[in-house]
Amino acid sequence: MAMIYLNDKLVPESKAVVSVFDHGFLYGDGIYETLRAYEGAVFKLEEHLDRLFHSASLINLRLLKSPEEIEKALYETLRANRLKEAYVRITFSRGAGPIGLDPSLCPKPTFVIIANPFKGYPTSYYKKGVKAAVVKTRRNYKGAIDPQIKSLNFLNNVLAKAEAMERGAYEAVMLNYKGHVAEGTVSNIFFVKDGVICTPSVNAGILDGITRRTIINIAKAAGLTVKEGSFRPDDIYKADEVFLSNTTMEVMPVNQFDDVKFRISAAGVTKAIHKAYKAEVREYLRRRKRPRA
Ligand code: PLP
């Protein structure tokens, strides 16, 4: 049975239960991170922990744990489950408290780490690409719930995903309130036009994806021009290549965006970026394993 880190210790999955009065459950009041362990090492851990604390600060949630304590708990969870290739989710909710929206009703956040074996995605998704569709559901207005908060309040994304599935698409692409392309339900979006890599800027009201940042750095280091800006679906219809990114999918080619089809080429920019991303993961693992001088 899977071992779950709950508050201050590891417990079997059957005992990993939280209160029905938890404000995460009642109000979606909380934050989380999704991470990926390769060969037992969590890639970009520091960036994920930084973003976790940033999300917490944006909802005035005091985590009552240091980054070092969270890291220790995370590796304990991986070890307890004997996992090397893993999907890891860290969740902090506001905690249990009486009914009512006042955050001060909850004295202590609830802390959970789940680590599951990483199952990966079908290889056909990478070879043939996936379908993405612009949905009617708009991305949360950043003046209401800033998408930079990786929040437990996920209904915006759930509704968008349901729309995509109804249309036979794998990922929904949400527009912001201005009609500009924002992001997927669990991914950032990129497109390539005449060798220039384009992606909505963080100002469009998106999550500042860690994979997105890594890809931008990879592209710049390779001498490619990266344009972060405001784009409309029309810009993507005219693109040469489209791809999605997140921590677990890494770089996922899109073969159809709305009704426009894209050819997936082994010689394309998407594949080159994915190759460079994998090389960065390998380099990280190599550096981690090198004995300290
Ligand atoms: N956008 C949203 C809404 C997400 O939920 C995610 C990740 O799950 C991403 C983008 C990609 O972020 P990252 O690359 O940090 O995994």
Side-chain angles (χ1 to χ4, degrees), residues 86-123:
Y87 158 97
V88 183
R89 177 174 160 130
I90 304 174
T91 307
F92 275 93
S93 78
R94 187 76 61 183
I99 285 184
L101 303 188
D102 177 359
S104 71
L105 292 169
C106 308
K108 198 166 174 268
T110 303
F111 171 47
V112 177
I113 302 179
I114 297 171
N116 281 338
F118 182 69
K119 290 203 192 77
Y121 298 81
T123 44

Side-chain angles (χ1 to χ4, degrees), residues 188-190 197-202 206 208-229 243 245 273 277 280:
N188 291 113
I189 185 162
F190 288 80
I197 312 240
C198 304
T199 192
S201 71
V202 171
I206 61 167
D208 185 3
I210 289 164
T211 319
R212 175 186 178 279
R213 282 188 226 155
T214 309
I215 290 168
I216 290 173
N217 289 338
I218 285 172
K220 286 183 178 166
L224 295 166
T225 306
V226 178
K227 199 170 150 199
E228 295 178 67
F243 63 89
S245 72
I273 287 186
Y277 186 90
E280 186 163 330

Side-chain angles (χ1 to χ4, degrees), residues 120-122 125-126 129-133 135 160-173 184-187 244 246 248-249 252-256:
Y121 298 81
Y125 286 18
Y126 292 99
V130 295
K131 187 174 163 186
V135 292
K161 176 76 177 182
E163 261 191 80
M165 290 178 77
E166 261 169 42
R167 289 176 45 191
Y170 176 72
E171 178 61 305
V173 174
T185 59
V186 291
S187 62
L244 306 169
N246 80 18
T248 54
M249 62 170 65
M252 178 84 73
V254 170
N255 60 22
Q256 188 174 342

Side-chain angles (χ1 to χ4, degrees), residues 45-184:
L45 177 58
E46 212 180 304
E47 286 84 343
H48 282 282
L49 290 177
D50 280 352
R51 190 171 64 187
L52 182 78
F53 277 84
H54 184 58
S55 293
S57 75
L58 292 173
I59 66 163
N60 289 320
L61 175 64
R62 286 187 56 231
L63 300 184
L64 307 181
K65 292 213 185 293
S66 66
E68 293 73 25
E69 286 169 320
I70 298 169
E71 177 172 346
K72 189 164 168 276
L74 194 163
Y75 277 107
E76 271 178 36
T77 312
L78 284 176
R79 276 196 298 275
N81 290 287
R82 294 195 175 82
L83 289 174
K84 297 268 185 230
E85 301 299 317
Y87 158 97
V88 183
R89 177 174 160 130
I90 304 174
T91 307
F92 275 93
S93 78
R94 187 76 61 183
I99 285 184
L101 303 188
D102 177 359
S104 71
L105 292 169
C106 308
K108 198 166 174 268
T110 303
F111 171 47
V112 177
I113 302 179
I114 297 171
N116 281 338
F118 182 69
K119 290 203 192 77
Y121 298 81
T123 44
S124 65
Y125 286 18
Y126 292 99
K127 278 200 181 129
K128 296 185 180 155
V130 295
K131 187 174 163 186
V134 175
V135 292
K136 287 203 289 295
T137 305
R138 294 289 170 112
R139 187 63 175 124
N140 283 333
Y141 172 54
K142 64 178 171 176
I145 302 177
D146 189 342
Q148 290 226 51
I149 306 166
K150 202 161 163 60
S151 110
L152 298 186
N153 197 313
F154 226 52
L155 201 48
N156 182 212
N157 314 47
V158 170
L159 294 175
K161 176 76 177 182
E163 261 191 80
M165 290 178 77
E166 261 169 42
R167 289 176 45 191
Y170 176 72
E171 178 61 305
V173 174
M174 292 177 279
L175 307 181
N176 66 15
Y177 72 104
K178 285 183 177 161
H180 294 140
V181 177
E183 61 182 336

Side-chain angles (χ1 to χ4, degrees), residues 36-42 83-86 282 285-286 288-289:
R36 167 84 159 92
Y38 299 83
E39 297 179 18
V42 177
L83 289 174
K84 297 268 185 230
E85 301 299 317
R282 278 196 307 275
L285 295 175
R286 198 183 61 77
R288 247 186 80 95
K289 280 183 191 146

